[in-house]
Amino acid sequence: MSAVTTTAAAPAVVAEDASRVRRRRRLSPGRRLPAARLTGPVLFLALWAAASAAGQLDPAAIPAPWTVVRTGAHLWTEGTLTTDILTSLQRAATGFAIGLVAGVLLALASGLSRVGEALIDGTVSLNRAIPTLGLIPLFILWLGIGEAFKVAIIAIVVYIPIYLNTHAALSGIDNRFVELAEVQGLSRFAFVRQIVVPGALPGFFVGLRLGVTGSWLGLVVLEQINATSGLGYMMFQAQNYGQSDVILVGLVVYGVFGLVSDSAVRLIERRVLSWRRTLSS
């Protein structure tokens, strides 16, 4: 009789454990949806097209999506859009590369040395408190009104978030790992490679994503100052002639570049940090 009771109770215990597991799993967001990040932009585009087709939008102020596509194709075949895109990419890439290197080196110097932290951290915090675009007049006086000041401003916009997030990740490394490295007798190089770099990578990638976005945001403003080419220059000229479709072409290109670059950084982050178990995994 007791054997029958035990056998009958076993499925109930298994079912109860499975129910508890299911309840725990409901706390997570669930599986990653394919192309989930495109859902919002596609929905926005659909609403824009529907409102334009229904006549709810003024074509002079907000042209229809098909009008913007035709304008973009016309500019592309003429070759002006290609030139402007290449110029903008060169400016953004140069400023981003300088800001990336500066942000990482300053974060390492500040995060791994008390002297470096005393010299660097307060200075960067002061720089962060000053509006970066407010430095434009001063940088024009220092570097002239050519390409140099544009690249310098983009580099500043990029290095600040990279420094802040990387430095915060370095400061957040558990001191027990440092003690373990000392007990194991790791050299300074081995300590940086095995402890510091893995511990700082999550914060670094957050700063990298912010820096990528910041480079495009800064470029929009800078290319409207004494520029003869670039997407911002194209949009500024279109504003003078009331060409809202050309302005939207520039905005769409900026948006696509921003989305693609951010997605690329996220993909690299998932590959590099594949060992982490997170909600987004």
Side-chain angles (χ1 to χ4, degrees), residues 20-270:
R20 289 177 180 175
V21 170
R22 284 196 296 271
R23 284 199 296 270
R24 287 199 298 268
R25 286 177 179 172
R26 290 195 190 102
L27 296 176
S28 65
R31 292 183 178 179
R32 183 184 300 276
L33 300 176
R37 301 193 70 209
L38 297 178
T39 304
V42 170
L43 179 60
F44 174 78
L45 182 61
L47 293 175
W48 179 15
S52 298
Q56 299 298 317
L57 299 177
D58 181 8
I62 306 179
W66 43 88
T67 303
V68 175
V69 171
R70 284 198 302 267
T71 302
H74 175 69
L75 293 173
W76 182 271
T77 54
E78 283 189 340
T80 57
L81 184 59
T82 308
T83 303
D84 291 331
I85 288 177
L86 292 176
T87 302
S88 295
L89 285 175
Q90 181 179 2
R91 287 171 180 152
T94 305
F96 177 79
I98 296 174
L100 172 62
V101 173
V104 171
L105 292 180
L106 290 174
L108 290 175
S110 178
L112 300 178
S113 169
R114 295 300 183 188
V115 176
E117 184 177 22
L119 295 175
I120 297 172
D121 194 55
T123 306
V124 176
S125 298
L126 178 62
N127 189 2
R128 179 194 178 197
I130 299 174
T132 304
L133 297 180
L135 297 173
I136 291 177
L138 187 60
F139 273 67
I140 290 176
L141 291 176
W142 288 348
L143 303 175
I145 203 166
E147 293 295 315
F149 95 91
K150 296 182 179 68
V151 172
I153 293 295
I154 293 173
I156 293 175
V157 172
V158 170
Y159 100 87
I160 290 178
I162 291 179
Y163 168 84
L164 291 175
N165 287 277
T166 306
H167 181 266
L170 288 172
S171 302
I173 294 177
D174 197 323
N175 193 55
R176 288 176 296 180
F177 293 123
V178 181
E179 296 174 353
L180 178 61
E182 293 174 349
V183 171
Q184 295 294 325
L186 294 182
S187 65
R188 188 70 171 177
F189 176 77
F191 169 69
V192 171
R193 182 172 60 87
Q194 299 180 23
I195 304 296
V196 172
V197 172
L201 279 178
F204 165 74
F205 277 111
V206 173
L208 189 63
R209 290 180 59 193
L210 294 174
V212 168
T213 305
S215 65
W216 294 113
L217 294 177
L219 192 64
V220 175
V221 178
L222 294 168
E223 287 191 327
Q224 299 182 27
I225 302 175
N226 193 46
T228 57
S229 61
L231 293 172
Y233 169 76
M234 180 189 74
M235 294 167 61
F236 181 72
Q237 292 297 107
Q239 174 195 347
N240 294 333
Y241 293 101
Q243 298 172 319
S244 56
D245 53 343
V246 177
I247 296 175
L248 285 175
V249 169
L251 292 176
V252 168
V253 174
Y254 274 128
V256 170
F257 282 159
L259 181 62
V260 170
S261 56
D262 182 72
S263 299
V265 173
R266 289 166 66 99
L267 177 62
I268 296 172
E269 179 183 11
R270 285 200 299 270

Side-chain angles (χ1 to χ4, degrees), residues 12-22 24:
V13 173
V14 172
E16 183 179 357
D17 292 341
S19 176
R20 289 177 180 175
V21 170
R22 284 196 296 271
R24 287 199 298 268

